[in-house]
Amino acid sequence: MENALQTPTDPDIIALREDIKRTYHAYTARDHDRFPQFDYNTNRANYEPLRSSFEEEFYVIRGLDRTNTTIHIPSTNTLALLFTDSTYVPGRKILNTCRSYAHGRPIPTGDESAPYPAKHTGRNRVWWYIVIGMFILIAVAGSYTMLHQTPARIAPSKLTISYPLHGQTVPRRPFVAGRVANADTVWVVVRPVTLGAKCYVQPPIPVKKDGTWRGQVFIGGLDPLNIGQAFEIRAFINPPSVYRAIEEEERDVFNEWPNDAELATHSTVVIRGPELEKPAK
């Protein structure tokens, strides 16, 4: 993930979401058919009109070249994460593009691309140097102790899928649940059981303190032909190829499983059914 010099705080991201919604509302008012209202939930398909409004804003209204490398139009998956995942912070290019869309300002370039440049002049700069000096002294004085007291990282283990069961019939949007030790996030990937089928990465699922995880995924599309088909479900921990594809390439579809993951489950095969998921109790 391409990090900015300073990571925005939660209120900044919350404010950005509201500003994006207000800008999109203006598009809805002008052309409701092309830019309808929608629910800002985890269904990434909902965000297609919002993504189209980004392209309208930069490539039509502002007349910018589509090859402009300072513009990074967010994917529907990225937009879903931005509006539903409280821990998600987009990369710098995506963040600047979202701010430019929301506030109607040009995208910064060069050194200006840092979202929150430090401003320290005169007396404030002196205090800033003092604070930095204090941190350096503390770091030097405690470095030996920290090196010998910091516990080694414990590798993730015991990753399992407990629901759905192998061979079970599931709706289009079932919940997938399981357990894992020493991990913060689980990535679930779904693939049809057909020759040459694509692998579809689902939104990341956070792991609870007790090691359990549970999240909703997509099993196939809306096409009725998907009903009755078999799909494989696998869970992964720390897959570098997925991180790179989602953050740098805006891509969540793969030709094969992310086999570079630190930990993975075997396939759980389910059958796509027509019924709807029952509400969780």
Side-chain angles (χ1 to χ4, degrees):
M1 176 178 178
E2 185 183 2
N3 291 323
L5 296 182
Q6 297 181 16
T7 301
T9 58
D10 288 343
D12 296 317
I13 295 297
I14 292 172
L16 178 59
R17 293 172 183 162
E18 295 305 315
D19 290 339
I20 290 175
K21 287 181 179 180
R22 279 192 288 271
T23 299
Y24 181 74
H25 182 73
Y27 275 94
T28 302
R30 291 199 299 266
D31 192 340
H32 186 273
D33 292 335
R34 290 182 60 199
F35 307 107
Q37 293 290 351
F38 63 89
D39 293 329
Y40 291 85
N41 54 29
T42 57
N43 184 356
R44 57 193 173 193
N46 285 3
Y47 296 86
E48 187 58 44
L50 177 57
R51 188 181 192 280
S52 297
S53 73
F54 269 77
E55 294 185 338
E56 181 82 6
E57 175 71 23
F58 291 108
Y59 301 140
V60 178
I61 296 177
R62 301 192 192 183
L64 300 180
D65 194 329
R66 288 181 179 269
T67 61
N68 190 326
T69 58
T70 62
I71 301 170
H72 206 120
I73 302 295
S75 68
T76 54
N77 185 62
T78 295
L79 291 170
L81 290 173
L82 178 64
F83 280 94
T84 60
D85 188 342
S86 61
T87 64
Y88 176 70
V89 178
R92 185 170 58 189
K93 287 185 178 179
I94 298 176
L95 199 57
N96 285 336
T97 301
C98 289
R99 287 195 176 110
S100 180
Y101 170 90
H103 303 143
R105 295 197 297 264
I107 294 179
T109 58
D111 292 339
E112 298 174 356
S113 59
Y116 297 100
K119 297 180 180 179
H120 302 288
T121 58
R123 185 176 301 175
N124 288 338
R125 181 179 293 129
V126 174
W127 283 106
W128 180 245
Y129 290 153
I130 293 174
V131 172
I132 292 177
M134 292 176 62
F135 275 109
I136 292 175
L137 289 174
I138 294 172
V140 172
S143 60
Y144 180 85
T145 302
M146 291 178 63
L147 286 173
H148 287 269
Q149 290 186 353
T150 301
R153 176 181 178 272
I154 303 176
S157 62
K158 302 178 182 178
L159 177 62
T160 61
I161 296 177
S162 58
Y163 181 85
L165 302 177
H166 191 79
Q168 184 173 350
T169 298
V170 298
R172 177 172 176 259
R173 296 199 62 199
F175 282 94
V176 176
R179 299 186 66 90
V180 67
N182 308 313
D184 298 322
T185 305
V186 174
W187 293 85
V188 174
V189 181
V190 177
R191 182 177 75 174
V193 183
T194 55
L195 183 63
K198 302 287 187 180
C199 297
Y200 297 87
V201 178
Q202 309 297 309
I205 301 174
V207 180
K208 297 180 180 179
K209 292 183 178 180
D210 62 359
T212 61
W213 54 271
R214 182 175 184 268
Q216 202 166 19
V217 302
F218 289 88
I219 304 295
L222 295 172
D223 194 328
L225 294 177
N226 285 295
I227 297 175
Q229 288 192 3
F231 289 80
E232 295 178 83
I233 302 174
R234 294 182 67 187
F236 298 85
I237 302 296
N238 298 330
S241 58
V242 170
Y243 296 146
R244 288 193 301 270
I246 289 180
E247 297 301 331
E248 299 177 9
E249 305 171 23
E250 294 291 304
R251 176 172 62 89
D252 55 10
V253 181
F254 291 77
N255 292 323
E256 58 184 16
W257 301 108
N259 295 318
D260 59 351
E262 190 172 2
L263 190 64
T265 65
H266 295 296
S267 293
T268 295
V269 178
V270 297
I271 307 301
R272 165 70 187 280
E275 77 279 4
L276 299 176
E277 179 74 290
K278 296 180 180 179
K281 294 183 179 180

